[in-house]
Amino acid sequence: MVNVGRTPDQITDPDGAFFLKPDHPRHRQYEALRAYFVENRPSREVARRFGYQPGSFRVLVFRFRHEMDREFFRDVARGPQTQPKKDAVRERIIALRKENLSVYDIRDKLEQSGKDTLSVTAIQEVLRAEGFARLPRRGDDERPRSPRADPDAVADVRTFSLDARTFTTHAGGLFLLLPMLARFGLDDLVEKSGFPGTKMIPATHAVRAALLLKLLGKSRRSHVMDLVFDEGIALAAGLNAVPKATYMSQYSSRLGRKAIAALLGNWVERLRKAKALEGKSFNLDFHSISYFGDDPFVEKHYVPRRSQRRKAVLAFFAQDADAQLFCYSNADIRKGEEGQEVLRFVRFWEKHHAERPQQLVFDSKLTTYAVLSDLNEMGIHFITLRRRSPALVAEVLAQPSSAWRTVELDVPHRKFKTPRIIDQRIPLKGYKGVLRQLLIQDLGHDQPTILLTNDLSSTTKNLVTRYARRMLIENGLADSVGFFHLDSLSSAVALNVDFDVLLTVIASGIYRTLAKELRGYERAQGRQVFRRFLDTSARVTVSANEILVNLPRRAHNPVLIDSGLLDEATTIPWWGGRKLRFEIR
């Protein structure tokens, strides 16, 4: 029976369907080309019959005409057909697996031979091809004898010992910060805030251990494993050993925002009693901490460093403008709550200090005009940027020359000291009342700067100078990212990040307080203070009455000596009342 002229759909004979409905790609190419060249079928019809795109079939015809040989319809195997490295050691791998060795043990045995090296993945492929299943989990007595890491002691405050001894620590500079922790009464603040703890690791010791990791500039809590054998860090924390990475990463899962906010409030209150900050004028800003995982519940926020919206945890910061100390943070912010965060800060400050902030300075996207109206009704002065729309920029540029007034700023190191300013009073939709608008040119930007404030009495020079100091919070955030590793997310859970942000706030405050004691380094950033004064080893001697820390000779020791930080011995509460004393050998 001849099937010429029939379409594939009309073929019912299985033998005929074999030719007109080929399954194999090479067979399909053969039948299509035969229909085109032998049966003289049109190209478009052949392409439709055998499931090709018209253009793809024309390419196939072109290749056949230019590459016509016996190999055209043959499946040519691509890539290497042999595996010399695997084949050379295949029998050796099988023999080792029969000795109950794991893939890692087999890899080590092959490496010890000196010439037959193979990766773990390659060994797994060989064993899988030979039909071997995965080994069940083995006990220590079933494993081959090989050098192993020495386990450190389990952290337990009940076994903490102050027996007389002498040892060397790589974190000698860390002891310089302990008198500050004792002076601020960090243990009392943690207990008052209701932090959780256990008999092995009480709350005060847990927070102190996590804080010490921040003070040392470790990028992640998991990196504490680099320090578990350093006896000096365990002594500084008041424990027999440093808590391991698992404990450090999971402790924050027991915390809530209430406890974190309580410790933050108690910490700032202690700073105010120590007259470390004024608490009058504040810089406010958001910081987006990028998240690189695939957690579907992490929301997207704008990340300035990448100039895009991406998954991130949004954190809010408030910085005392005079002391340059962070005094508020919150990383437990959900989408749509950003505009109200400034009011939460006001309530936080009023709750802990029985007064409202006097002045707030922030960027244009921090809140809404309705919230600005609420701040005005509370009697709080604010200074913020107005977003520059094309129409607003055109309006500023259209102002006559006679409307501008030149002002000289009292900023010694600023390049652009004589901006031109127009002072206006305007209403805005959503704001109850009149706002003061300052149009500013020649401030070092291509586009004009537009400030909004409800302060109707201060001079334009003071307002522009004050807003220029808002960059201090950006410098502080840059230091927190660079040295305290604020962007190293501890978890996708916001509260875990919130605890990490809290530690950053406390650590940066300790460094700022230390920097003010060092002449010439009052404005130094954390990484500079650490590199010059704290990144040093020390010889520690524990005796019955005191703990003596001998610091090595370094170039910046004279600054440390003149500060008076080494003069007096300090009683450390978590050492049972023993004193800490310093010497420079």
Side-chain angles (χ1 to χ4, degrees):
M1 179 177 181
V2 181
N3 293 322
V4 177
R6 288 179 165 181
T7 64
D9 296 335
Q10 297 172 332
I11 301 299
T12 58
D13 185 2
D15 296 333
F18 174 80
F19 293 99
L20 295 182
K21 296 181 180 179
D23 294 330
H24 196 280
R26 290 297 186 184
H27 186 194
R28 186 160 62 106
Q29 290 179 359
Y30 174 83
E31 295 295 342
L33 291 172
R34 185 180 184 280
Y36 178 75
F37 286 105
V38 178
E39 300 176 10
N40 294 321
R41 297 291 185 184
S43 170
R44 187 173 295 275
E45 177 186 334
V46 174
R48 183 174 62 254
R49 180 193 299 180
F50 290 96
Y52 291 102
Q53 292 292 331
S56 300
F57 183 69
R58 287 195 294 271
V59 172
L60 180 64
V61 171
F62 176 85
R63 286 185 54 236
F64 179 75
R65 280 173 172 163
H66 290 78
E67 303 174 13
M68 187 169 52
D69 54 27
R70 294 185 178 182
E71 302 294 331
F72 187 84
F73 296 107
R74 179 178 297 176
D75 282 330
V76 180
R78 302 183 182 275
Q81 302 305 302
T82 61
Q83 298 176 314
K85 292 188 67 175
K86 289 183 181 178
D87 295 339
V89 295
R90 186 177 298 272
E91 297 300 327
R92 174 70 171 156
I93 293 174
I94 295 173
L96 291 174
R97 170 46 66 91
K98 290 180 178 179
E99 297 178 11
N100 201 33
L101 297 183
S102 68
V103 290
Y104 297 99
D105 298 333
I106 296 174
R107 180 199 59 187
D108 296 339
K109 290 287 186 181
L110 294 178
E111 289 179 352
Q112 290 172 8
S113 65
K115 56 180 180 180
D116 300 327
T117 58
L118 214 59
S119 68
V120 170
T121 302
I123 296 173
Q124 287 176 334
E125 292 174 353
V126 171
L127 295 175
R128 194 179 301 116
E130 296 295 332
F132 286 94
R134 293 174 60 93
L135 283 181
R137 188 173 183 85
R138 301 170 296 171
D140 291 339
D141 56 339
E142 299 177 296
R143 300 176 185 271
R145 293 187 177 181
S146 60
R148 300 178 187 175
D150 294 331
D152 190 34
V154 177
D156 190 343
V157 70
R158 294 171 296 183
T159 61
F160 176 59
S161 173
L162 289 173
D163 295 340
R165 62 190 185 276
T166 301
F167 59 88
T168 300
T169 176
H170 293 288
L174 187 64
F175 287 88
L176 291 169
L177 303 176
L178 299 187
M180 206 167 300
L181 295 181
R183 189 172 73 221
F184 284 131
L186 182 64
D187 287 8
D188 296 336
L189 302 182
V190 172
E191 291 179 354
K192 190 187 301 183
S193 304
F195 270 58
T198 63
K199 293 181 179 180
M200 294 178 63
I201 307 179
T204 54
H205 293 72
V207 174
R208 190 185 308 117
L211 180 61
L212 292 182
L213 190 62
K214 275 289 180 185
L215 294 173
L216 286 171
K218 282 294 180 181
S219 59
R220 294 186 182 274
R221 295 176 193 169
S222 59
H223 294 179
V224 73
M225 298 306 292
D226 302 338
L227 311 173
V228 293
F229 285 101
D230 195 315
E231 193 174 351
I233 301 175
L235 177 63
L239 291 167
N240 63 312
V242 178
K244 306 301 187 297
T246 303
Y247 177 85
M248 298 294 288
S249 61
Q250 293 182 354
Y251 178 74
S252 58
S253 63
R254 303 177 59 192
L255 301 175
R257 175 62 191 173
K258 182 178 179 181
I260 293 173
L263 179 56
L264 181 61
N266 294 332
W267 168 253
V268 175
E269 185 177 351
R270 190 61 56 90
L271 289 178
R272 291 201 72 186
K273 288 183 178 179
K275 298 183 179 180
L277 56 84
E278 294 293 332
K280 296 180 179 179
S281 181
F282 300 91
N283 300 315
L284 310 180
D285 206 353
F286 284 111
H287 179 72
S288 299
I289 307 174
S290 294
Y291 176 68
F292 297 95
D294 57 356
D295 193 312
F297 296 100
V298 178
E299 299 170 327
K300 288 188 175 182
H301 299 280
Y302 181 73
V303 181
R305 295 181 65 184
R306 294 179 174 266
S307 300
Q308 61 178 279
R309 295 181 64 83
R310 58 174 297 123
K311 286 188 175 183
V313 175
L314 190 64
F316 178 86
F317 290 88
Q319 181 196 53
D320 184 270
D322 298 316
Q324 299 180 35
L325 286 173
F326 288 116
C327 50
Y328 178 78
S329 67
N330 184 14
D332 188 24
I333 303 174
R334 300 296 184 268
K335 196 75 173 177
E337 299 177 349
E338 303 95 330
Q340 300 294 319
E341 190 58 32
V342 60
L343 297 180
R344 293 193 188 94
F345 166 65
V346 171
R347 290 194 292 269
F348 167 85
W349 195 262
E350 189 175 11
K351 173 183 176 181
H352 289 278
H353 308 292
E355 61 181 8
R356 292 171 178 169
Q358 297 181 15
Q359 185 184 56
L360 304 176
V361 183
F362 44 86
D363 204 351
S364 60
K365 297 182 179 180
L366 188 128
T367 190
T368 62
Y369 290 144
V371 174
L372 294 182
S373 183
D374 294 338
L375 293 176
N376 184 53
E377 292 179 358
M378 294 178 184
I380 301 173
H381 286 164
F382 59 83
I383 306 174
T384 183
L385 279 180
R386 186 177 181 184
R387 301 179 189 178
R388 292 183 294 233
S389 64
L392 187 57
V393 172
E395 179 184 342
V396 174
L397 298 178
Q399 296 291 331
S401 301
S402 59
W404 297 92
R405 183 168 60 90
T406 302
V407 175
E408 184 173 357
L409 303 180
D410 296 330
V411 184
H413 301 291
R414 186 176 180 84
K415 182 178 180 181
F416 300 93
K417 299 181 181 179
T418 56
R420 294 180 297 132
I421 300 177
I422 295 179
D423 195 342
Q424 300 175 331
R425 303 293 189 276
I426 62 166
L428 283 178
K429 184 178 180 181
Y431 183 85
K432 299 177 182 178
V434 177
L435 278 169
R436 185 178 183 181
Q437 177 174 268
L438 301 180
L439 311 179
I440 309 172
Q441 288 272 46
D442 302 334
L443 200 59
H445 306 288
D446 295 335
Q447 297 288 340
T449 301
I450 304 173
L451 292 184
L452 292 176
T453 179
N454 62 341
D455 188 349
L456 307 180
S457 59
S458 297
T459 63
T460 56
K461 179 172 67 174
N462 290 341
L463 291 175
V464 175
T465 302
R466 173 62 189 89
Y467 187 82
R469 293 178 58 204
R470 196 192 72 87
M471 64 174 291
L472 295 176
I473 191 172
E474 297 177 358
N475 294 342
L477 288 174
D479 189 38
S480 297
V481 171
F483 179 69
F484 298 112
H485 304 281
L486 180 62
D487 281 357
S488 296
L489 272 186
S490 57
S491 169
V493 182
L495 283 176
N496 293 23
V497 183
D498 200 19
F499 177 60
D500 191 70
V501 170
L502 170 66
L503 295 176
T504 301
V505 169
I506 297 177
S508 63
I510 292 172
Y511 267 84
R512 292 297 315 144
T513 306
L514 175 63
K516 291 180 180 180
E517 302 289 338
L518 304 172
R519 188 170 182 270
Y521 291 87
E522 293 83 0
R523 297 186 179 276
Q525 295 185 340
R527 61 178 180 272
Q528 297 169 327
V529 174
F530 178 78
R531 185 175 66 250
R532 287 173 169 81
F533 300 99
L534 304 181
D535 189 11
T536 178
S537 59
R539 189 73 173 167
V540 180
T541 302
V542 181
S543 61
N545 300 320
E546 65 178 11
I547 295 177
L548 176 64
V549 177
N550 283 282
L551 300 173
R553 290 176 292 179
R554 302 187 72 199
H556 295 85
N557 279 352
V559 179
L560 198 60
I561 294 172
D562 290 342
S563 67
L565 296 173
L566 309 181
D567 293 347
E568 297 182 1
T570 305
T571 302
I572 305 299
W574 55 94
W575 287 349
R578 295 196 188 187
K579 292 188 175 183
L580 171 64
R581 188 166 62 87
F582 295 95
E583 282 186 359
I584 296 180
R585 57 190 183 202

